[in-house]
Amino acid sequence: MSDQMTIPADLLPHDGRFGSGPSKVSSFQIEALRAAERTLLGTSHRQAPVRGVVRDVQEMLASFFSLPDGYEVVLGNGGSSLMWDAAAYSLVERRAQHCVQGEFGSKFAAATLGAPHLDPSSVRQADAGSLTLPELEDGVDVYAWAHNETSTGVISPVARVRGADDALMVVDGTSAAGGTELDVSQTDLYYFAPQKSFASDGGLWFALMSPAAIARIERIAASGRYIPAILSLEDAVVNSRQNQTLNTPAVATLVMMRAQLQWLLDQGGMAFAASRTADSASRLYSWAESSPVARPFVSQVAYRSPVVGTVDFDASVDTAALRSILRDNGVVDVDPYRKLGRNQIRVGMFPAVDPEDVSRLTASVDWVLAHLEP
Ligand SMILES: *Cc1c(COP(=O)(O)O)cnc(C)c1O
């Protein structure tokens, strides 16, 4: 019976994509692909036209993030996940400290814990839906945490550990980058991928690297440690300075990302992006707070993510049926992170998402719940 339910068109979001990555791609990005059909797509990434796109993306990221002096925009293939292994080989000198708020933080911790050349990592574990902050610790040369933990919808402060001297601050910005405020000077290596706020496809990673991070990378590369080529951040730095990647990138991904960056910058850059996601988030959380059957999963208001919102439902609500009806009506990917195992919806609210559509999503949820009632 559930698949017969038709949500009234005047309630439905104009665009029903609320995924946390891949996330909504806008039609102007597809037009950018069309415009690139003969000049970029299907042409060599070693030649000037594609390198020009890489350079544009690097420059636009530098502008979007108001990159401090000496920082560089480095990129490579493999997505954000590759950075975890790359950091274990190319960045951590002896020992890392990880803050784990959820799945993504724990995967990075697993990468350094498994690296045979490193001392056992220090892992600070938070309960799902809460957070833990990095803390000064002897012998730690990399402090790692996620700016936004996408599996739980928790946003963390990004601030240097005081007294940490030469240690590097390595922050997973995958789902936060481009959708919220950031002071890059508080980080040494802030990495992300294009399929969240940059509304493109996955497969690449980007990192904003401080001079200290680059110096560390060069020192470790010169030390004789075995580093698989694909995990060499030194190779990535060298290639990025020439607007290239070690191996072939997805050209279409770069073209779509450039179009999104252009749009973000035209609209007002980081301040625009942050205010738009904050608008979406306030609509989602205030609806959840006033709902008799739902509530924000993250209880601390300050930790609630503006880009990935998680909403818990009473056990009496069949959210699997809810999500399936939404999907039948073209409203997709509001599923909770699979391993979190909660009676929940999770809503991607990256800048491409129209805040009005978040309101329409909540109205659609209310409508379905009213009609699911026996
Ligand atoms: C999506 C995501 C990742 C994984 O990105 P990939 O490009 O798929 O490797 C890592 N960390 C966070 C915080 C994410 O949101």
Side-chain angles (χ1 to χ4, degrees), residues 217-241:
I217 286 164
E218 287 170 347
R219 189 169 69 242
I220 290 178
S223 73
R225 177 190 287 177
Y226 168 67
I227 303 177
I230 201 82
L231 301 180
S232 166
L233 293 178
E234 192 201 30
D235 279 355
V237 169
V238 169
N239 276 290
S240 297
R241 286 175 177 161

Side-chain angles (χ1 to χ4, degrees), residues 47-92:
Q47 297 299 324
V50 173
R51 286 168 68 179
V53 180
V54 172
R55 192 192 53 237
D56 286 350
V57 167
Q58 289 172 301
E59 288 176 0
M60 291 161 123
L61 286 170
S63 161
F64 183 89
F65 286 104
S66 307
L67 215 60
D69 278 352
Y71 278 63
E72 297 184 36
V73 179
V74 179
L75 71 157
N77 284 304
S80 283
S81 300
L82 185 117
M83 182 55 72
W84 302 326
D85 292 317
Y89 277 90
S90 288
L91 196 66
V92 181

Side-chain angles (χ1 to χ4, degrees), residues 149-174:
E149 175 50 66
T150 317
S151 66
T152 58
V154 166
I155 189 140
S156 288
V158 176
R160 288 186 179 277
V161 175
R162 259 190 248 152
D165 297 336
D166 297 337
L168 302 175
M169 305 297 137
V170 176
V171 177
D172 181 350
T174 310

Side-chain angles (χ1 to χ4, degrees), residues 19-21 23 175-176 195-197 276-277 307-308 348-353:
S20 296
S23 62
S175 55
Q195 72 273 21
K196 316 233 171 164
S197 282
R276 188 162 157 99
T277 60
V307 280
V308 176
M349 301 175 288
F350 300 115
V353 170

